Amino acid sequence: MDFRADLHCHSTCSDGSLLPTELVDMAVDIGLQGLSITDHDTVAAYGTAMQRAEEAGLKLLPGVEFSTSHKDISVHVLGYAFDPRNKEIIKFCNTHIEERRRRNKKIIELLIRKGFKVSEEELNDISFDGAKGKPNSLGRPHIAQLLMEKGHVTSIQQAFDKYIGDNKSCYEPGKRHSVEETIDLIHRVGGKAVIAHPHLIKRRKIVRDLMAMDFDGLEAFYAKMPLHQEQPWIDRAREKGWIATGGSDYHGSVKPKLSLGCSWVSDEIFNYFYDIYLRNKKEQEDSE
Ligand code: AMP
Ligand code: FE
Ligand code: FE
Ligand code: ZN
């Protein structure tokens, strides 16, 4: 098979149901040659995944998906090719995780006010698919899972649709970094910044603003998006001289309809990022 790399998926370190090592194994099993694990606001997956990938002969590209905000609209920014041991990126992730803790507390309070019997302690014990690694970055899917386990909803989707989806009665956006600050941080650690799933941003003005920022690429190939929807984004990337990236946004059982590798990039794009990563890796090791 031709070279394929999935540049967007989530592990148990954020809101996926597979361990980082299990994602690596699955990528090898389905014939991918490259992978990036892009957990929400954490790079903890690389603590175990990097070694597994080396052993399995899979090229693993460091990545992350930051939650940012532009004019109060949520924007996801993908970062690639930094060294995950870089202190500055770890510190940036930690500020997000702290803020998530404050935000989760507020959402739990809103749910309690609605009469649900849920607590922060219970949320901290939540994991998908039984006893797996503890998440570093706890988010709304974990709250949805808690609501389901307590019998308040019948599915994760129902929890979003009724209570915690954007602008629903128990939604709380939390304090987020700006898109510009996030791009700057990614660049400072030698990485590349990419707009995640831009087709999901409904406000044209926001997309226009993002297209004028200092991004290096946009995610043109996403999950099971049909070709006619991809083409405008491929064209926009070409006009800007940006890279058109792609990935599945696989979350395991949390989003059961998506499979790993259902969107992917070829070796040309992957190796462009991977070479940058190898240079950042060398620099990191020289500095230690
Ligand atoms: P958070 O980062 O805590 O705001 O949670 C966002 C994550 O929740 C996304 O990455 C998705 O995995 C999931 N999510 C967001 N909106 C929905 C929705 N309407 N239905 C199902 N899952 C959602
Ligand atoms: Fe997610
Ligand atoms: Fe996203
Ligand atoms: Zn994602």
Side-chain angles (χ1 to χ4, degrees):
M1 197 164 87
D2 291 343
F3 183 102
R4 287 187 180 195
D6 187 334
L7 295 187
H8 190 159
C9 65
H10 297 268
S11 79
T12 48
C13 293
S14 67
D15 59 357
S17 68
L18 291 192
L19 291 167
T21 50
E22 290 175 326
L23 278 174
V24 168
D25 293 348
M26 180 182 268
V28 172
D29 284 348
I30 64 173
L32 293 176
Q33 283 112 315
L35 182 74
S36 183
I37 302 174
T38 50
D39 276 314
H40 298 287
D41 304 328
T42 175
V43 295
Y46 293 94
T48 53
M50 211 38 111
Q51 197 188 336
R52 185 66 146 249
E54 264 168 39
E55 287 160 6
L58 177 80
K59 281 180 159 180
L60 186 62
L61 172 74
V64 64
E65 182 175 21
F66 286 120
S67 306
T68 75
S69 146
H70 182 65
K71 296 181 176 158
D72 284 334
I73 300 289
S74 155
V75 175
H76 284 180
V77 174
L78 292 160
Y80 292 112
F82 49 83
D83 189 299
R85 297 165 295 183
N86 180 293
K87 286 204 177 70
E88 214 178 337
I89 197 141
I90 292 170
K91 192 169 150 211
F92 194 63
C93 288
N94 286 340
T95 66
H96 284 78
I97 289 162
E98 267 312 304
E99 185 45 44
R100 277 180 173 275
R101 208 164 283 148
R102 282 192 282 273
R103 175 203 189 205
N104 290 340
K105 193 179 161 102
K106 286 186 194 158
I107 297 178
I108 292 284
E109 278 165 14
L110 290 169
L111 289 165
I112 290 171
R113 236 180 275 164
K114 257 202 149 47
F116 296 131
K117 293 195 169 43
V118 286
S119 68
E120 247 187 297
E121 291 70 37
E122 287 167 317
L123 178 63
N124 291 333
D125 279 335
I126 282 292
S127 62
F128 304 106
D129 283 355
K132 287 229 177 115
K134 264 202 173 305
N136 296 66
S137 170
L138 275 170
R140 283 182 289 162
H142 303 90
I143 298 176
Q145 176 78 14
L146 174 61
L147 285 171
M148 189 165 76
E149 286 181 13
K150 300 288 275 298
H152 297 307
V153 294
T154 54
S155 67
I156 287 184
Q157 193 55 52
Q158 198 184 51
F160 275 93
D161 294 344
K162 289 179 87 166
Y163 307 113
I164 59 171
D166 292 20
N167 305 317
K168 300 287 174 188
S169 59
C170 299
Y171 176 65
E172 159 65 45
K175 192 164 153 280
R176 290 166 298 197
H177 290 266
S178 71
V179 180
E180 292 94 330
E181 271 177 286
T182 306
I183 298 172
D184 282 352
L185 181 281
I186 293 168
H187 286 162
R188 249 197 339 267
V189 299
K192 295 287 168 189
V194 171
I195 311 173
H197 39 65
H199 66 293
L200 296 179
I201 304 166
K202 296 298 171 217
R203 298 253 300 270
R204 283 211 196 155
K205 172 85 179 74
I206 301 290
V207 174
R208 256 200 315 270
D209 288 354
L210 296 179
M211 294 301 299
M213 291 183 194
D214 194 20
F215 279 104
D216 307 288
L218 57 76
E219 194 174 42
F221 310 97
Y222 179 76
K224 291 189 203 157
M225 194 155 96
L227 180 64
H228 72 272
Q229 274 186 36
E230 292 170 352
Q231 197 58 52
W233 296 105
I234 298 168
D235 295 344
R236 281 188 181 113
R238 192 174 297 137
E239 277 163 30
K240 296 283 304 183
W242 287 0
I243 298 157
T245 74
S248 60
D249 208 2
Y250 178 71
H251 283 68
S253 65
V254 179
K255 289 187 182 177
K257 289 185 191 142
L258 295 179
S259 53
L260 193 67
C262 66
S263 263
W264 45 273
V265 296
S266 65
D267 49 353
E268 192 191 336
I269 307 250
F270 184 85
N271 286 329
Y272 170 76
F273 284 143
Y274 199 72
D275 288 345
I276 295 169
Y277 161 59
L278 292 179
R279 284 202 294 275
N280 286 327
K281 179 172 185 262
K282 182 164 187 313
E283 212 171 286
Q284 175 73 25
E285 283 163 5
D286 289 347
S287 76
E288 275 169 6

